[in-house]
Amino acid sequence: MAVDQVILAGDSSDEELDWEEVHVPEQQPTYESEEFNTPLELELSGPAPRANIEITLQTRVKKDDSKKKANAALYAQRVARTTSHKIHTVALLANARVRNKLLNDELLHARLLSLTPLSLQNGFAMIHKSRVPDQNKRGRLFEAAVVRLVDWWSGTFFSVTPTGHIKNRTFDEVQEEISQSNETYDPESDPIGSERIRSVNSLMKHALMQTGSRDTSSQLFTALCRALDIPARLVVSLQSVPWQSRVRTSAVRKTGSKGKGKAPQTPVEVQKKPAANDESEMEEVDISPSSPKGKVLAHRRYPGKGKEKAHPVVKFRRPKSQSTSRGGSPALGGRSLKSPDPTTTPPVFWTEVFSRADSRWLPVDPIRGIVNKRHLFDPNFPPIGSSRMPVQQDNRMLYVIGLEEDGFGRDITARYARDYTAKVSKVQGVGAGPAGKRKEWWSRVVQMITRPYRLQRDDLEDEELHNHQLTEGMPTTIAGFKDHPLYALARHLRRDQVIDHPTELGKFRGEPVYPRSSVISLKTAENWMRQGRVIRQGAQPMKMVKQRAVTVSRQREMEVALERANADGHACPDEDVMQGLYARSQTELYKPGAIQNGKIPKNDFGNIDLYVPSMLPEGAVHIPSKGAAKVAKRLGFDYAEAVTGFEFKKRRAFPVIEGIVVAAENENVIVDACLEAEQDAEEKAREKRLERVCKRWIRLVQGLRIRDRLQRQYASNVEHDPQQQQHWLDTQGADAGGNEEQMGGYLTTADDVVEPFHLPRGIHHYSSSTIRSVADGRTGDEKGETVHKGAISAESPSRNLPPSPTEDRDMDPVEGSFALQPSRGAPKSMAELAEYHAQKAQTTVRQDGPPFEPAGSESRATFPEDKKTRGGRNSHGSNLSTRTQTSQATRSSKKRARRRSASSSDHDVEASPPKRRQGASVTLASNAPPTRVLRQRPQKSAARIQEEREMEEAYRRAVKG
DNA sequence: TTGCGTTAGTAGTCTTTGGTTTGC
DNA sequence: CGCAAACCTTTGACTACTAACGCA
């Protein structure tokens, strides 16, 4: 029983609390479990006072976890929905564009023209400036001609089938369909039942047969208009899947039935469809004769705007039981119950013809025979004589695009959508946040189909659409007032907004409606100061709001204020600190006092606020140089650091300081001094670098000397005499491979002794070439090893890197020898590229082992290499050289591999030239891992070898002396 | 039945001037 | 000596949006 531990037993899967075993002091007080209102349970497992107790904590119901999961699932769903919406929208738009292109087909035009009565065609030809000088009259004539054409088309020529057109479906419906059609997926069967237009031939077929879906009707009509030389747009209202989870439709109701949705119905391609293959409760019986001509006769247009037009199909109601017994999906079946007549309801495709006389686009609905009545295209618009909104589930007007003959399109939703500003524009997205992103996305989509240049008619149209919005009238819902460009309600005002001069425009459900222009934004005095403005004397705040405490200091400030108020007794303990907001009209430009005697005014923090240029005091100048403060201080001038803004992190505001403010008379002196100081610093840095470089040289040469001495002294097993060695050394550069065994044995001895003299780190990047030229071949292993350590140490913070080796490059004497091999850039011509490949091939042949890239360090930096090749090499570390000793190579191969993979992931595109990277990676990128042997430099001439040898000797002498 | 208003929950924005110690 | 970096601590208010629900 004498357990010294309290075992806290919790559900191990509890994420919030991390339980551990704890030692409890002897005098553990005992608690009644009632004292805890947390779900903590104490089980007294021993005699009272000295009880060693066991505490059992019952984890709270894992609500959070499941909630989290549910939320995550919701989020995933939302993402899926929005993505589907976007993809679908774009796909539908693409589809419309393809159709639009088909409509330009000349043969189609010719066929349509041949089917059009000459009188109608002549109706358009008559309208010409020369014949009808009056512009307005021309406009009227044009419209009349269009009306005649449309009447003929909708009434006589083209018969619309009740199905086959594009319909809007909700996300759930589509999901259901997909899940059902997955089982027996047949690409040829079309679950949507839409008409198939594969090419312009299909369109021509429909034209000749004078029948098709209403979409086809509109498309063909558009083609006819173009054939008649009328600029015509194919207008499409994209019926994409809504992204909302729940669009109110009866179809959402799930009944678990596994109906198959609508049967595929392509009334033309399947010429004589069975009459009853529609799953809807309407049985459709095609009574039209099979010949198109007969059809035409059968459908005579009734007078009265085509609303109560005769129908090619007579519908009989089918008994309900039959429908369900056939397994029709109630979801879809329920929808198609009220499946609207496609010949009387607003279409998805229609036409706009351009009236040249009026410079205006006229909407034309060739299905219902409507001309120039833009309101009749919105499925939400109440039909004439009915106050009740029609229910149109399968047509949602959200994006309306007009596609012109040249393939470009314009967003003309505003022309057709009722309550565009109040509703549709909001659905399309406004402001920031998710909806803002949606808007951004949509404008990007529209941008893609927008003509790169503007026509005059575009400007006119924009103006027209804008006017439509202005004359749209007041919204009919409260939500419609939100962010409305013209109207505002007090309830939607933001914290910092106020209605300035209340001119009530009217009432909406008892709430006064104000013009949007009366809404003004306010700011706190501090925020106005940030704009370089101050509150005018005596101005009273227009609104009091609770003060925000965003920073720690602000919070403290607030607490202090609250305490003081409490102490004074004129505030309730829980009353908030209030803060006044002011309008811009209550402020004036901040004018700091002029400078006197070169003294700069400073604020409480010892600096000067300079959020905007106007805040600079008269007689002062801003020197936005970083080191200026030091200089001014040294010279003894009065100055103030200029605060131009703030950075905010960790609940704390950090002033952004940009240079200093000084009196104008001191400007020149300080600027000069600054420049001088800058130059000084530069000079110093240069000297320092020089010094560093010299030191490295000294170390290198000394190391080489020691090595040389040691080799002479101890490498008795070498057959070569020094003279031979030298010769070997010189030729080694050209002779890449071979001699491995021999050299390995030779070198190992020496390297073991020389080991402590690692080359200084930063030099390695040149070392591959430097050493090559100075002592190539002598240091087989050591070079590989050292270089690698250098490269690795670039990552390791414990090693002390010389500052930025790339900086040194230009100063480094090493550069001299480095420059012996002209650094190569990326191939600039085909010839160069060919050369590169030739060299690559050459070196690869020379190599035994895995294929190498040809490069010396330079080319490796500039020629992107194949990643696969690289990866293959990594594991063996064979990029060092074929002569690299495996033992040493493997020692660092892991690190190397890690580093390599990291760096290769940086620039993953093989075709792009490697970028210079920061810090350690620069080392790797610009100077490339050392490959000693395989370099593509030109063969050294004898003179060059001589020159290099002399240089080396010179250095040796210099070091000796 | 359906559209609207409300509400809950969440994500994102706005905010806007340390003090001290340690190491170089 | 002077400067720079690290460490400390965890917290709003408000708005916009979405989904869900209730009401008429």
Side-chain angles (χ1 to χ4, degrees):
Chain A
M1 272 271 191
V3 199
D4 230 345
Q5 288 177 336
V6 177
I7 297 150
L8 301 171
D11 191 326
S12 60
S13 67
D14 191 312
E15 283 175 314
E16 299 223 305
L17 302 162
D18 213 6
W19 297 114
E20 48 184 310
E21 293 187 338
V22 197
H23 282 276
V24 178
E26 287 257 308
Q27 280 75 25
Q28 170 72 35
T30 56
Y31 295 104
E32 295 292 320
S33 62
E34 284 79 26
E35 286 182 37
F36 297 90
N37 46 10
T38 56
L40 180 77
E41 224 177 77
L42 292 182
E43 287 174 12
L44 298 179
S45 55
R50 283 197 146 214
N52 293 303
I53 53 174
E54 191 176 83
I55 301 175
T56 310
L57 287 176
Q58 279 171 349
T59 42
R60 268 162 292 173
V61 190
K62 290 208 296 177
K63 199 177 163 188
D64 286 357
D65 197 35
S66 62
K67 217 176 178 183
K68 242 184 197 171
K69 264 186 196 166
N71 280 339
L74 270 176
Y75 177 75
Q77 246 179 41
R78 200 161 65 229
V79 170
R81 282 197 314 265
T82 19
T83 312
S84 305
H85 173 78
K86 288 178 183 175
I87 293 173
H88 195 195
T89 309
V90 173
L92 285 169
L93 181 56
N95 168 56
R97 289 192 77 195
V98 171
R99 292 284 169 99
N100 181 55
K101 207 173 173 187
L102 296 183
L103 301 188
N104 290 337
D105 187 80
E106 281 182 20
L107 192 55
L108 177 65
H109 284 188
R111 289 200 161 154
L112 284 168
L113 276 184
S114 72
L115 293 166
T116 309
L118 208 60
S119 59
L120 290 172
Q121 298 187 34
N122 287 339
F124 291 100
M126 301 288 281
I127 310 163
H128 194 263
K129 238 180 212 167
S130 54
R131 286 171 186 264
V132 191
D134 182 15
Q135 196 181 340
N136 290 331
K137 199 175 177 191
R138 278 206 310 277
R140 283 198 301 279
L141 282 175
F142 175 76
E143 193 175 329
V146 172
V147 168
R148 280 201 302 278
L149 184 70
V150 171
D151 279 355
W152 164 75
W153 182 278
S154 63
T156 319
F157 180 70
F158 203 87
S159 80
V160 172
T161 54
T163 54
H165 53 276
I166 290 178
K167 287 180 187 172
N168 197 309
R169 290 169 305 152
T170 64
F171 190 78
D172 289 330
E173 284 172 287
V174 179
Q175 286 256 300
E176 202 170 310
E177 266 169 46
I178 290 171
S179 65
Q180 281 160 7
S181 60
N182 263 354
E183 297 159 18
T184 53
Y185 179 70
D186 176 12
E188 280 307 300
S189 88
D190 186 353
I192 309 164
S194 64
E195 196 172 61
R196 231 166 247 264
I197 302 290
R198 287 201 177 80
S199 69
V200 73
N201 289 337
S202 309
L203 280 174
M204 282 194 260
K205 203 158 125 195
H206 282 287
L208 292 175
M209 304 211 313
Q210 304 176 7
T211 182
S213 73
R214 70 173 183 194
D215 295 352
T216 307
S217 172
S218 295
Q219 287 160 21
L220 286 173
F221 183 80
T222 310
L224 172 61
C225 291
R226 288 180 188 170
L228 287 166
D229 198 27
I230 306 167
R233 278 174 174 169
L234 178 65
V235 183
V236 54
S237 163
L238 301 177
Q239 299 298 315
S240 38
V241 183
W243 70 89
Q244 296 98 326
S245 75
R246 215 169 55 117
V247 184
R248 292 266 185 133
T249 61
S250 51
V252 182
R253 280 174 298 132
K254 290 255 159 85
T255 52
S257 154
K258 44 177 183 167
K260 256 221 138 191
K262 280 202 170 176
Q265 221 178 349
T266 47
V268 170
E269 277 158 24
V270 187
Q271 249 288 310
K272 295 199 175 173
K273 56 168 180 127
N277 81 344
D278 195 321
E279 301 276 353
S280 76
E281 290 171 17
M282 295 290 214
E283 188 174 15
E284 290 171 3
V285 181
D286 195 340
I287 57 158
S288 58
S290 52
S291 100
K293 276 273 178 276
K295 254 185 195 171
V296 172
L297 292 171
H299 314 143
R300 186 146 298 136
R301 183 171 169 270
Y302 281 60
K305 275 296 153 215
K307 287 241 148 185
E308 306 88 4
K309 230 177 13 161
H311 208 265
V313 166
V314 175
K315 293 186 173 184
F316 298 110
R317 187 165 291 279
R318 177 189 293 154
K320 228 177 180 161
S321 57
Q322 197 186 342
S323 155
T324 41
S325 70
R326 294 192 67 204
S329 159
L332 297 166
R335 265 256 303 240
S336 39
L337 199 159
K338 54 178 171 23
S339 177
D341 184 351
T343 56
T344 59
T345 50
V348 164
F349 282 95
W350 64 94
T351 309
E352 270 184 6
V353 293
F354 188 70
S355 168
R356 291 188 173 102
D358 298 334
S359 295
R360 235 163 46 80
W361 289 96
L362 306 180
V364 176
D365 178 354
I367 304 125
R368 295 178 292 171
I370 296 170
V371 177
N372 201 9
K373 290 193 170 54
R374 63 184 177 97
H375 286 306
L376 299 183
F377 290 86
D378 190 334
N380 282 325
F381 200 80
I384 301 133
S386 152
S387 61
R388 179 90 187 142
M389 295 270 195
V391 182
Q392 274 269 332
Q393 296 305 334
D394 53 10
N395 187 351
R396 271 179 259 271
M397 186 174 270
L398 198 52
Y399 312 108
V400 182
I401 293 283
L403 295 164
E404 299 186 18
E405 270 168 272
D406 54 6
F408 293 112
R410 284 167 61 75
D411 179 4
I412 47 174
T413 317
R415 170 155 31 235
Y416 296 102
R418 183 175 166 268
D419 290 340
Y420 176 75
T421 22
K423 279 186 187 161
V424 177
S425 69
K426 276 170 203 158
V427 180
Q428 281 187 359
V430 277
K437 276 180 203 158
R438 204 161 56 232
K439 182 167 197 76
E440 203 182 283
W441 162 79
W442 175 238
S443 53
R444 266 208 327 270
V445 172
V446 172
Q447 193 55 47
M448 282 193 291
I449 56 161
T450 301
R451 193 181 287 113
Y453 49 92
R454 283 178 72 86
L455 306 174
Q456 203 211 341
R457 66 186 190 196
D458 294 341
D459 292 334
L460 287 173
E461 184 171 39
D462 279 347
E463 201 177 304
E464 182 198 335
L465 295 184
H466 184 66
N467 284 338
H468 283 169
Q469 288 183 45
L470 295 187
T471 56
E472 202 176 63
M474 273 197 200
T476 50
T477 64
I478 294 221
F481 281 95
K482 205 172 177 191
D483 294 320
H484 196 280
L486 295 178
Y487 310 106
L489 295 180
R491 59 155 58 190
H492 291 139
L493 289 180
R494 304 214 198 110
R495 194 183 90 116
D496 59 347
Q497 283 180 331
V498 84
I499 289 168
D500 190 18
H501 297 293
T503 44
E504 207 178 301
L505 295 175
K507 293 240 189 231
F508 182 77
R509 299 192 197 167
E511 286 183 51
V513 178
Y514 303 102
R516 180 61 66 182
S517 55
S518 295
V519 176
I520 53 168
S521 285
L522 309 175
K523 280 184 198 304
T524 61
E526 290 88 1
N527 272 337
W528 278 122
M529 191 61 181
R530 303 266 118 77
Q531 315 266 310
R533 304 185 74 84
V534 283
I535 311 299
R536 215 172 266 140
Q537 195 83 43
Q540 291 303 306
M542 298 188 73
K543 197 175 183 182
M544 295 299 288
V545 292
K546 233 185 353 180
Q547 184 166 17
R548 292 185 192 175
V550 186
T551 57
V552 183
S553 51
R554 260 298 157 91
Q555 196 165 19
R556 259 178 233 147
E557 220 171 82
M558 249 173 78
E559 277 164 12
V560 169
L562 205 61
E563 251 172 50
R564 197 168 333 126
N566 286 340
D568 294 354
H570 52 256
C572 322
D574 44 38
E575 194 161 330
D576 299 298
V577 181
M578 297 301 269
Q579 174 177 46
L581 297 180
Y582 302 86
R584 190 190 166 86
S585 59
Q586 293 178 290
T587 64
E588 56 194 11
L589 209 62
Y590 170 67
K591 276 253 166 231
I595 308 201
Q596 285 163 359
N597 303 329
K599 194 134 177 67
I600 310 293
K602 297 178 195 70
N603 60 19
D604 299 348
F605 305 98
N607 45 38
I608 185 166
D609 298 324
L610 198 67
Y611 308 120
V612 286
S614 68
M615 294 174 80
L616 192 66
E618 205 177 310
V621 285
H622 181 209
I623 304 176
S625 156
K626 216 182 171 188
K630 258 191 203 168
V631 173
K633 196 174 190 181
R634 182 158 49 82
L635 296 177
F637 289 120
D638 189 52
Y639 70 96
E641 288 185 305
V643 176
T644 54
F646 290 93
E647 253 173 58
F648 195 79
K649 44 191 172 187
K650 291 184 183 172
R651 293 246 297 163
R652 191 161 294 146
F654 296 94
V656 175
I657 287 170
E658 271 177 39
I660 58 168
V661 172
V662 289
E665 62 257 33
N666 302 332
E667 183 188 9
N668 287 339
V669 185
I670 294 178
V671 168
D672 286 348
C674 271
L675 289 175
E676 207 175 297
E678 217 169 277
Q679 280 173 358
D680 267 10
E682 226 168 79
E683 186 61 38
K684 258 184 200 160
R686 195 176 301 150
E687 274 171 23
K688 230 179 174 176
R689 237 182 299 171
L690 196 62
E691 200 180 317
R692 216 165 41 221
V693 163
C694 287
K695 264 189 190 160
R696 286 182 201 159
W697 270 114
I698 290 168
R699 279 186 82 179
L700 170 65
V701 177
Q702 276 177 345
L704 290 173
R705 282 177 57 204
I706 293 169
R707 166 195 287 272
D708 195 39
R709 185 166 54 81
L710 291 173
Q711 280 171 348
R712 280 176 219 276
Q713 213 166 327
Y714 296 105
S716 51
N717 55 340
V718 186
E719 301 98 309
H720 311 277
D721 62 34
Q723 205 59 39
Q724 280 172 318
Q725 270 184 45
Q726 189 61 47
H727 173 76
W728 180 85
L729 190 152
D730 291 335
T731 52
Q732 194 46 220
D735 182 16
N739 294 354
E740 196 162 340
E741 290 281 318
Q742 192 187 356
M743 294 321 293
Y746 165 90
L747 287 167
T748 315
T749 338
D751 280 338
D752 288 345
V753 184
V754 178
E755 189 83 53
F757 289 88
H758 287 302
L759 293 173
R761 233 53 67 183
I763 215 163
H764 302 132
H765 318 299
Y766 331 111
S767 64
S768 51
S769 57
T770 310
I771 299 174
R772 213 185 297 137
S773 58
V774 176
D776 206 355
R778 238 194 256 185
T779 58
D781 291 339
E782 196 215 290
K783 259 189 285 170
E785 175 66 7
T786 322
V787 164
H788 258 282
K789 275 190 181 159
I792 291 162
S793 74
E795 275 193 338
S796 144
S798 62
R799 301 277 194 126
N800 197 9
L801 266 186
S804 183
T806 44
E807 267 177 33
D808 290 349
R809 277 180 73 145
D810 36 12
M811 288 298 302
D812 204 324
V814 172
E815 183 67 23
S817 65
F818 185 62
L820 291 179
Q821 309 161 352
S823 157
R824 298 192 41 159
K828 290 188 185 64
S829 63
M830 292 304 284
E832 269 180 88
L833 192 68
E835 189 194 358
Y836 161 64
H837 280 300
Q839 281 177 351
K840 184 173 179 173
Q842 204 184 341
T843 38
T844 313
V845 169
R846 265 204 270 161
Q847 222 31 75
D848 41 347
F852 263 56
E853 49 152 344
S857 54
E858 314 82 35
S859 65
R860 192 197 275 260
T862 42
F863 292 118
E865 51 181 305
D866 186 353
K867 255 199 271 175
K868 273 185 218 154
T869 324
R870 238 201 210 186
R873 252 185 285 114
N874 284 348
S875 50
H876 303 294
S878 54
N879 57 329
L880 292 181
S881 134
T882 44
R883 279 187 285 125
T884 306
Q885 296 301 299
T886 1
S887 62
Q888 286 178 337
T890 43
R891 213 190 297 162
S892 50
S893 68
K894 263 189 194 167
K895 281 185 183 175
R896 224 177 302 134
R898 182 156 29 93
R899 194 199 72 226
R900 283 302 212 82
S901 67
S903 73
S904 66
S905 66
D906 279 358
H907 54 109
D908 48 345
V909 185
E910 284 146 289
S912 71
K915 292 171 206 151
R916 290 189 67 172
R917 270 162 278 162
Q918 303 286 320
S921 354
V922 169
T923 334
L924 300 172
S926 53
N927 290 295
T931 49
R932 288 172 304 153
V933 183
L934 298 172
R935 66 197 76 91
Q936 56 168 134
R937 67 173 171 189
Q939 302 259 323
K940 276 184 195 172
S941 68
R944 171 134 294 174
I945 293 168
Q946 180 63 31
E947 192 185 327
E948 283 177 29
R949 195 183 302 162
E950 276 168 17
M951 274 175 74
E952 193 200 354
E953 286 303 314
Y955 278 120
R956 280 165 184 262
R957 277 197 300 277
V959 169
K960 259 185 207 159

